[in-house]
Amino acid sequence: MAAFQHTLRSPALFAGIGVHTGAYVRVSVRPAAVDTGVVFVRTDVRDADNRVRVSGEAVCRTQLGTVITNAAGVTVSTIEHLMAAFAMLGVDNAVVELDGPEMPIMDGSSAPFVRVLDRAGLRPQEAPRRFIEIVETIEVVDGDKRAALKPADGFEVAFEIRFDSAAIGRQAIDMPMDEAAFRAELADCRTFGFAHEVEALRAMGLARGGSMDNCIVIDGDRVLNPEGLRRADEFVRHKALDAIGDLYVLGAPILGRFEGELAGHALNNALVRELLARPDAWRVRTLVEDLKEAV
């Protein structure tokens, strides 16, 4: 874990369609000053404040993706896969310029974002990185769904899902999570959906850009994608990827253990808001202090 903040060395440029809007969007991720955090800028919006700063309170919708907004009502949708890449590659400060309302879905995973960030490179900055250290368990429950943050020495991720479809069934993972583990175990795991839900979603204005190019499609007990799965448990690994991105709206990496059971974007954000409401359960820590003590 890096002790100091990082931003991009050079801009990262990419483009693609939004999974829900179907709109083609061009994106430029640019370096930013110390303590900027992550700020999205809607370059297509000219008659209102077009800067949308990422925070737990900025999340305004969580149906099939994480949507953030500002006081002017300007929104940016489906930020979670890029945010997961930022979190695990160690990008503290960045300005994300996009000319549409939704981040491109790319192939449905974080891997394309990892590749463009690798090409841009990262550079250290002079301010210490702040971590959120969990000191007491924080938990939210909604029926059979649960999400929690617990004290741990590093960042750990555990997740369990259960679906009636034999293509998924019960899947669970539990692993320490750092940049190397994210690259090797989670980054390439894609989002998924059910064929029978597509028409209803499109009637709601969702999934207009969804296809087997950017989503695992399940029909009954079968995976329809001709190439099949990238991993046997790709489904639960993608849910863990989503959770990492959803937690990073806090603006700092977590020192603690995340546990999710049947959780999704809504419960992930409920956990974020519960953390913000429980200042007794966590503290801000920098590794620079640890380094000084070690010397």
Side-chain angles (χ1 to χ4, degrees):
M1 292 183 288
F4 289 87
Q5 295 181 30
H6 282 68
T7 190
L8 279 72
R9 190 174 297 279
S10 60
L13 308 175
F14 56 93
I17 63 165
V19 68
H20 294 308
T21 60
Y24 184 80
V25 178
R26 292 166 295 188
V27 182
S28 174
V29 185
R30 299 187 177 278
V34 158
D35 293 335
T36 298
V38 178
V39 180
F40 286 81
V41 179
R42 285 276 306 274
T43 60
D44 59 313
V45 174
R46 295 180 177 84
D47 58 350
D49 179 10
N50 65 356
R51 294 174 63 85
V52 187
R53 184 176 297 278
V54 174
S55 69
E57 298 92 341
V59 176
C60 62
R61 291 199 305 275
T62 52
Q63 184 180 28
L64 299 178
T66 295
V67 184
I68 55 172
T69 189
N70 64 12
V74 174
T75 62
V76 181
S77 303
T78 321
I79 66 168
E80 59 272 14
H81 301 165
L82 177 64
M83 292 297 293
F86 282 165
M88 297 315 305
L89 270 62
V91 177
D92 301 278
N93 304 303
V95 174
V96 185
E97 298 177 350
L98 69 165
D99 63 356
E102 183 182 21
M103 280 293 297
I105 191 62
M106 311 304 278
D107 73 347
S109 79
S110 287
F113 301 126
V114 170
R115 287 194 291 271
V116 298
L117 291 172
D118 282 346
R119 285 199 296 271
L122 300 186
R123 63 176 174 86
Q125 298 173 287
E126 293 184 356
R129 171 175 287 157
R130 290 182 291 271
F131 293 81
I132 294 172
E133 182 179 21
I134 307 301
V135 295
E136 291 184 20
T137 296
I138 304 163
E139 184 178 60
V140 291
V141 177
D142 179 11
D144 58 355
K145 303 180 179 73
R146 182 182 73 91
L149 286 166
K150 298 181 176 181
D153 291 337
F155 184 38
E156 302 173 5
V157 175
F159 215 105
E160 180 178 342
I161 59 173
R162 296 186 295 273
F163 284 86
D164 292 335
S165 168
I168 306 177
R170 177 189 175 275
Q171 296 185 358
I173 59 165
D174 188 336
M175 61 181 70
M177 187 51 54
D178 57 14
E179 180 179 348
F182 182 75
R183 288 176 180 272
E185 305 291 345
L186 298 187
D188 67 343
C189 295
R190 298 162 293 173
T191 192
F192 60 95
F194 294 88
H196 70 268
E197 296 175 350
V198 170
E199 289 309 313
L201 289 172
R202 288 183 175 164
M204 296 163 61
L206 300 170
R208 290 177 178 172
S211 73
M212 283 188 280
D213 292 331
N214 54 43
C215 182
I216 304 167
V217 181
I218 302 150
D219 187 12
D221 294 329
R222 296 183 305 127
V223 171
L224 297 186
N225 302 57
E227 76 279 9
L229 298 175
R230 293 176 176 173
R231 302 162 189 270
D233 58 354
E234 187 170 358
F235 304 100
V236 71
R237 288 171 184 261
H238 182 78
K239 297 291 280 186
L241 182 161
D242 276 347
I244 291 169
D246 287 344
L247 290 174
Y248 202 48
V249 301
L250 287 163
I254 287 173
L255 293 175
R257 174 180 172 83
F258 170 82
E259 295 179 354
E261 184 177 356
L262 311 185
H265 299 297
L267 208 62
N268 294 341
N269 188 248
L271 182 63
V272 164
R273 290 173 184 264
E274 181 67 12
L275 179 145
L276 294 173
R278 289 273 313 278
D280 60 307
W282 56 281
R283 64 181 180 184
V284 174
R285 179 175 154 193
T286 72
L287 300 187
V288 174
E289 296 162 1
D290 298 357
L291 291 172
K292 287 178 182 175
E293 289 176 9
V295 173

